[in-house]
Amino acid sequence: LGTVRLESVQNAVAQATAAAASLLGRPVGATPVPWFWSYQGDLRLQIAGLSTGYDEYVVRGEPDSERFSVLYYRQRELLAIDAVNSPADYMAVRRALTDGATVPPSAAGDPGTPLKTLLAAGRAAVSSS
């Protein structure tokens, strides 16, 4: 997917932490999941992950309600979320991306089912196999 330039406070802090660890000869650690947020009037936009290269997306909720999320996938693997006034969806996907977990696209579209329960069910299924 090439080089990506991330301009955010979170990324600047992560780069500084990695540079300091490298200079001190310590392990740099895993690259954190990029995340962003912004207030646009009465809308709270939260983004986790990078949707570059997605081949499928799922909309949770109704955009006209100004409370919805869009989950992005590549080859059925969760890549990112754009959440508008949906902090629970944002936090669940950010955690999933950090943990390397996913939510099947077929289940992600039901706004009546909290994403965190789908993640817990997915983790249980993986650990029992």
Side-chain angles (χ1 to χ4, degrees), residues 73-84:
Y73 295 84
R74 182 174 48 245
Q75 298 178 355
R76 306 192 62 77
E77 180 181 331
L78 185 60
L79 294 176
I81 185 171
D82 294 340
V84 176

Side-chain angles (χ1 to χ4, degrees), residues 48-100:
L50 298 173
S51 60
T52 305
Y54 75 91
D55 58 22
E56 181 178 6
Y57 68 91
V58 175
V59 177
R60 282 177 58 87
E62 181 55 49
D64 288 342
S65 73
E66 297 184 346
R67 183 179 183 88
F68 67 98
S69 300
V70 181
L71 285 75
Y72 298 90
Y73 295 84
R74 182 174 48 245
Q75 298 178 355
R76 306 192 62 77
E77 180 181 331
L78 185 60
L79 294 176
I81 185 171
D82 294 340
V84 176
N85 294 329
S86 297
D89 285 358
Y90 163 77
M91 289 304 296
V93 170
R94 184 170 159 193
R95 171 58 55 133
L97 293 171
T98 298
D99 294 348

Side-chain angles (χ1 to χ4, degrees), residues 96 100-104 107 114-129:
T102 195
V103 174
L115 287 176
K116 69 179 183 178
T117 62
L118 296 172
L119 292 169
R123 283 191 201 102
V126 169
S127 65
S128 66
S129 48

